[in-house]
Amino acid sequence: MSERKSLESLFTLVHTLKRNLHDQIEGLALGITPMHVRVIKIINHKPHCTAVDIANYLNRDKAQVTRLLSSLLAQELIIKEPNPEDKRSQCLRITEDGKEIMKKISGIDKSMFEKMSVDLSDEEIAEFKRIAEKMARNLNA
């Protein structure tokens, strides 16, 4: 397959996935964007998560992350707590309302994966994962 066709296939996959996820999230009427969802997921999975951790993970500047966090704090989906490892920073934690949203998002993630993997064998999915991770590492090198 030519380089151009390979890139077009990847762009099509990424765009279609993002569009479907966006539509599913909007369908829940949660009042948050897909980027807010990414932030909540990071906080949910990383113990002692700070704003700097999120900025680094998303490769965004701190001002962008601060705006995202401000709206999640205002909606009481996350809270700030003192960082036991560094008194100069604060850790972020998901509230009970945030956990309820995570349950709904997990359902969307599961549904999207099932839809994407129709007619794919476990071996094909494992191979795709391996290749996608390798490509991501190559781009980040």
Side-chain angles (χ1 to χ4, degrees):
M1 186 182 293
S2 74
E3 290 174 29
R4 183 170 180 238
K5 294 248 185 234
S6 294
L7 282 176
E8 286 177 16
S9 296
L10 286 171
F11 285 137
T12 300
L13 174 61
V14 170
H15 178 73
T16 304
L17 177 62
K18 285 177 76 170
R19 178 83 258 144
N20 273 268
L21 284 171
H22 185 270
D23 291 347
Q24 292 283 328
I25 290 167
E26 278 192 355
L28 293 176
L30 301 172
I32 58 175
T33 66
M35 187 56 79
H36 288 107
V37 170
R38 287 187 71 193
V39 170
I40 291 173
K41 284 181 174 184
I42 294 166
I43 295 168
N44 190 50
H45 288 106
K46 182 171 182 357
H48 304 294
C49 184
T50 66
V52 172
D53 293 330
I54 294 168
N56 291 337
Y57 186 84
L58 295 175
N59 198 23
R60 305 277 179 170
D61 65 58
K62 193 150 186 302
Q64 289 175 309
V65 171
T66 298
R67 285 190 295 275
L68 288 165
L69 293 174
S70 292
S71 62
L72 293 173
L73 287 162
Q75 290 177 288
E76 299 182 348
L77 300 177
I78 63 171
I79 58 171
K80 290 181 180 181
E81 298 178 327
N83 185 344
E85 298 171 3
D86 182 356
K87 301 298 178 202
R88 297 169 294 165
S89 69
Q90 295 181 317
C91 291
L92 303 163
R93 186 173 53 82
I94 294 182
T95 63
E96 289 303 315
D97 288 345
K99 288 178 185 176
E100 287 301 314
I101 285 178
M102 278 304 303
K103 287 179 188 173
K104 293 175 183 177
I105 297 302
S106 292
I108 288 173
D109 288 350
K110 184 176 187 232
S111 167
M112 291 297 299
F113 181 77
E114 288 172 358
K115 188 174 180 182
M116 279 182 15
S117 58
V118 167
D119 295 329
L120 295 176
S121 68
D122 290 343
E123 293 80 19
E124 289 172 315
I125 292 168
E127 182 69 359
F128 173 78
K129 182 179 180 211
R130 186 188 68 73
I131 292 169
E133 288 171 353
K134 188 172 187 178
M135 288 176 158
R137 280 192 309 274
N138 290 343
L139 287 172
N140 287 323

